[in-house]
Amino acid sequence: MSVRALSLLATFFCLIAYFWHPALCRATVEQQLLAEPTASLAAAAARDGNAARGAAVFFRAEMACHRCHVVDATASTGPDLARLDKKTSDQALVESVLNPSKTIAAGFQAASVDLKDGRTLIGIIRGETPDEITLCDASQPGVEIKVAKKDIETQTALAQSIMPSGQVNQLAGRQEFLDLVRYLIEVRNGGAQRARQLQPAANLLAVQIPPYEADIDHAGMIGAWGDANYDRGAAIYGQVCANCHGTEHQPGSLPTALRFSSGKFKNGSDPYSMYRTLTHGFGMMTPQTWMVPQQKYDVIFYIREELLKRQNKSQFFEVTKKYLAELPRGKSRGPEPKKNTPWTEMDYGPSLTNVYEFGGKDKNLAYKGIAVRLDPGPGGVTHGNHWMVFDHDTLRVAAGWHGQGFIDFAGIQFDGRHVVHAQAVGKIDFATPSQPGWARPDDGSFNDPRITGTDGKRYGPLPREWGRFRGVYHHGQQVVIAYNIGGAEILELPGLANLAGTAVFTRTLNISPRQQDMVLQVAQQPKSAKLLTKRVVNGNDAVAIVRLDSSDNAGGLVASVSPVPAGAAWTLDGDGNLRLRIPKGTQPLKFTVWIGAVENSTDVRKLTTTKLEHAERDLNSLTHGGPPRWPQRLETQ
């Protein structure tokens, strides 16, 4: 098969994967922007962009735009944006950021200069005489160096811009790009005066060196290097450093970034000098303020052992006792590295839509799962103790569980891993099979008619005549899900109640008039399960007790409906599917189904003799606005 054929085949499978599972081929910010016409982006930037926010992006340390594009500078490696030709179109500004190598401004074409001593310099040629050239060093913006021609081995003009491609991938999304372009537009139009007006305050730009850096035991940390440091350093290098610096086999995206396997250091290759580069920055290398001392020395050890000692021995600095004795003395090793998992700390609000997995790999997948936190408290869905997931493809409650941790946060949108799904962490109290949550209205079957993928699994929503997802209402920490089954409109509120000291999961349902009987999938138990049903004496609750065996003292699942719709009945089929049949009728219904897991018959008796409060709640009151989800007032500068 030809290379072109393989490429087309790979593209085809990626498209298939995207439609079946969008998270597998999630586009980068750059890819999303490149897919939109430049004229559209330029118009959106002029209309929706914010120049003040764009200035904050422009001067952000990791973007490094201001290092090369300096107003009124005499030795800059990038064009002075305040002196751009006023005829430069907004589209041209968009293209210059998205594709910097497409059109390189006159006088800013980079050159690579190989010296006879083995060094390579990259920069802008600013002047030339018969004996020497003047180079604006790209690795040290603003610094001009003179190079004697007799020391030059070769000099090559580069077709690639010094500005790295893919820089926009450091943006949060399209809006930040629009803000940045709007800033460029205003500086082009207003010149240096407008640039100075928009420049953020100096205190917002200053790099703050933590006080603990003055008391670091550099000698002790270097002397303690071992396999654990190598492993941690390899992970950091692969996640962060390789993008710019590259690997042994793949060059990095930034031409001026040192390629450790073959290049020469400009700011010292000994461990302490490398540490200072990470701490204070050097040239276009910005300070890595997110790293604590242990992380810095971990990645330094990896670079030394893997990329210098094996592949670039001339740059490998031998650590001796004399060298260690000369390092700054200190007693601290700084704070412990903090695992960078912002997705676990973020407040998503009371619900989070994602792909969720229950009961082991691929056994029960909710591809369009709305996870709802059921217990009150701050921090949003990730900080609770009880959860329920509603899958809006199949219109089913996939599972309810409790414990510490919510999910394992596996997946490309969390920890970067592909072809895995977030699994529930804790004890699963009940679950339903990967099939429709309500019976087909016309024949009462649960046969899944959706498309079957190449992996044998069903994908996509139910047919419209069967069921349709309408949306989600948020009212404080309560989440109401709206959908339609066979023409009957349904509002459902997932919840939690305390019955006789036992936490039970509740599904409060408001159902409009129905032209057919409706059957609700409530849970699935082992095929050996036994079903007992009865009505509670002190109320009209129909209780279903699903025992795991025939023992009178056995526990199992207890489910109840309160109040009981006239003619409703519980069923348990040979596959362990616990279902509630609701008869057709011209009157709307309001009731609550609750489910609890118990260990013995004593707990069963307690639950079946306790009445559920507020079971007939009208959910329409939660669909017309409520308190702000995040009441804090935010002030931006």
Side-chain angles (χ1 to χ4, degrees):
M1 186 178 290
S2 68
V3 173
R4 174 173 173 77
L6 285 171
S7 176
L8 290 172
L9 190 61
T11 302
F12 171 77
F13 281 122
C14 190
L15 287 171
I16 292 296
Y18 179 82
F19 284 109
W20 290 141
H21 197 329
L24 297 179
C25 293
R26 187 180 299 278
T28 64
V29 174
E30 181 185 39
Q31 290 168 337
Q32 294 172 25
L33 293 171
L34 288 173
E36 189 172 347
T38 54
S40 173
L41 287 170
R47 181 183 67 250
D48 304 324
N50 181 290
R53 291 199 306 257
V57 173
F58 183 85
F59 284 96
R60 193 183 293 166
E62 66 269 23
M63 291 296 290
C65 307
H66 64 288
R67 290 175 172 266
C68 294
H69 299 281
V70 184
V71 175
D72 292 334
T74 56
S76 177
T77 51
D80 182 346
L81 302 175
R83 296 180 180 177
L84 291 178
D85 188 333
K86 297 297 188 290
K87 295 180 181 179
T88 303
S89 68
D90 295 352
Q91 285 185 239
L93 294 177
V94 169
E95 289 182 343
S96 68
V97 179
L98 279 180
N99 191 354
S101 295
K102 181 178 180 180
T103 304
I104 300 175
F108 290 93
Q109 183 177 32
S112 175
V113 180
D114 297 322
L115 303 182
K116 293 178 180 178
D117 63 4
R119 291 181 297 150
T120 298
L121 303 176
I122 296 177
I124 310 297
I125 305 297
R126 290 299 185 203
E128 184 173 0
T129 69
D131 300 321
E132 64 181 17
I133 63 171
T134 300
L135 185 80
C136 187
D137 190 354
S139 67
Q140 303 180 71
V143 177
E144 288 187 344
I145 56 177
K146 296 186 182 298
V147 183
K149 287 186 174 180
K150 63 182 179 60
D151 296 330
I152 297 176
E153 185 76 38
T154 58
Q155 179 177 324
T156 308
L158 298 178
Q160 186 179 7
S161 170
I162 287 176
M163 178 177 169
S165 61
Q167 195 79 338
V168 293
N169 285 327
Q170 303 200 58
L171 300 177
R174 182 176 183 270
Q175 184 57 55
E176 281 199 346
F177 178 79
L178 300 182
D179 293 340
L180 177 60
V181 174
R182 178 60 182 270
Y183 168 78
L184 301 180
I185 291 171
E186 295 211 10
V187 172
R188 176 204 61 194
N189 295 340
Q193 181 180 359
R194 184 59 176 148
R196 284 190 284 269
Q197 289 173 347
L198 289 170
Q199 182 168 335
N203 67 300
L204 299 178
L205 301 176
V207 177
Q208 302 294 326
I209 304 299
Y212 62 71
E213 289 288 358
D215 189 37
I216 297 301
D217 179 16
H218 296 277
M221 297 186 77
I222 294 171
W225 274 338
D227 292 343
N229 303 87
Y230 180 94
D231 293 339
R232 293 194 300 262
I236 293 172
Y237 190 88
Q239 292 170 1
V240 182
C241 316
N243 180 55
C244 288
H245 292 276
T247 63
E248 177 185 0
H249 306 290
Q250 181 68 38
S253 64
L254 189 62
T256 57
L258 172 65
R259 191 168 185 184
F260 294 112
S261 59
S262 58
K264 288 196 174 184
F265 286 73
K266 295 181 180 180
N267 198 35
S269 65
D270 66 282
Y272 180 61
S273 294
M274 294 172 70
Y275 183 95
R276 286 184 58 81
T277 297
L278 288 170
T279 304
H280 301 278
F282 178 78
M284 292 186 71
M285 172 74 176
T286 57
Q288 302 301 296
T289 55
W290 64 274
M291 300 177 83
V292 298
Q294 187 63 69
Q295 292 169 312
K296 296 176 195 176
Y297 274 125
D298 285 345
V299 77
I300 289 169
F301 181 63
Y302 171 78
I303 292 170
R304 282 171 51 82
E305 293 296 308
E306 183 64 26
L307 302 173
L308 302 184
K309 192 174 184 178
R310 285 202 316 109
Q311 305 168 46
N312 194 4
K313 292 183 178 180
S314 67
Q315 298 300 291
F316 182 77
F317 181 90
E318 197 69 45
V319 174
T320 64
K321 291 182 179 179
K322 182 176 182 296
Y323 169 77
L324 293 176
E326 294 172 348
L327 295 178
R329 297 182 180 276
K331 299 178 181 179
S332 169
R333 297 196 175 188
E336 287 293 318
K338 183 179 180 181
K339 191 174 182 180
N340 186 28
T341 57
W343 48 85
T344 65
E345 302 165 9
M346 186 178 297
D347 185 346
Y348 297 97
S351 67
L352 177 63
T353 301
N354 191 46
V355 181
Y356 297 100
E357 191 172 287
F358 306 95
K361 185 170 178 57
D362 294 341
K363 286 188 177 180
N364 184 353
L365 284 167
Y367 283 106
K368 301 292 178 57
I370 306 169
V372 180
R373 174 179 171 177
L374 306 178
D375 50 313
V381 66
T382 63
H383 290 73
N385 292 293
H386 289 79
W387 302 270
M388 200 184 293
V389 163
F390 182 92
D391 178 22
H392 69 72
D393 264 352
T394 55
L395 303 178
R396 69 185 174 111
V397 169
W401 75 104
H402 74 275
Q404 298 290 329
F406 179 43
I407 56 175
D408 62 4
F409 292 98
I412 189 171
Q413 68 274 55
F414 295 128
D415 63 3
R417 286 187 285 166
H418 290 259
V419 202
V420 295
H421 309 295
Q423 293 198 30
V425 174
K427 181 182 183 299
I428 297 176
D429 294 273
F430 73 94
T432 61
S434 298
Q435 63 183 30
W438 293 79
R440 189 181 187 97
D442 55 0
D443 63 9
S445 74
F446 281 84
N447 296 328
D448 195 340
R450 297 176 301 146
I451 296 172
T452 302
T454 56
D455 57 1
K457 295 182 177 62
R458 301 283 185 173
Y459 292 91
L462 294 173
R464 287 195 170 197
E465 66 275 11
W466 185 329
R468 296 180 65 182
F469 173 65
R470 299 293 197 192
V472 175
Y473 296 97
H474 288 95
H475 190 284
Q477 294 190 24
Q478 299 174 96
V479 178
V480 177
I481 300 164
Y483 57 100
N484 176 296
I485 297 293
E489 298 293 341
I490 299 176
L491 293 177
E492 177 166 345
L493 173 68
L496 189 71
N498 187 306
L499 290 183
T502 299
V504 298
F505 296 83
T506 63
R507 299 177 61 181
T508 300
L509 294 154
N510 288 185
I511 305 178
S512 72
R514 306 148 309 286
Q515 295 183 357
Q516 305 98 0
D517 288 357
M518 302 177 70
V519 182
L520 172 65
Q521 176 80 38
V522 176
Q524 186 178 50
Q525 292 292 288
K527 293 183 179 180
S528 60
K530 306 293 183 181
L531 174 65
L532 301 174
T533 61
K534 66 177 183 176
R535 291 182 181 273
V536 178
V537 176
N538 65 343
N540 60 342
D541 300 357
V543 179
I545 305 169
V546 185
R547 296 198 186 280
L548 300 182
D549 59 49
S550 58
S551 169
D552 290 338
N553 198 42
L557 196 73
V558 177
S560 176
V561 54
S562 176
V564 183
W570 289 101
T571 63
L572 181 71
D573 68 12
D575 291 323
N577 292 303
L578 178 64
R579 294 167 178 162
L580 178 67
R581 178 175 293 278
I582 304 164
K584 63 183 178 180
T586 58
Q587 297 299 315
L589 297 176
K590 298 183 180 69
F591 60 88
T592 295
V593 173
W594 61 258
I595 310 129
V598 294
E599 296 182 357
N600 53 59
S601 58
T602 300
D603 291 335
V604 171
R605 283 193 295 273
K606 288 180 180 178
L607 284 181
T608 56
T609 56
T610 305
K611 186 172 178 60
L612 181 70
E613 301 294 333
H614 310 296
E616 295 180 86
R617 186 174 182 183
D618 186 351
L619 301 182
N620 281 289
S621 62
L622 303 179
T623 65
H624 299 287
R629 193 184 304 178
W630 290 284
Q632 299 89 342
R633 179 175 177 176
L634 303 180
E635 294 184 4
T636 61
Q637 184 167 0

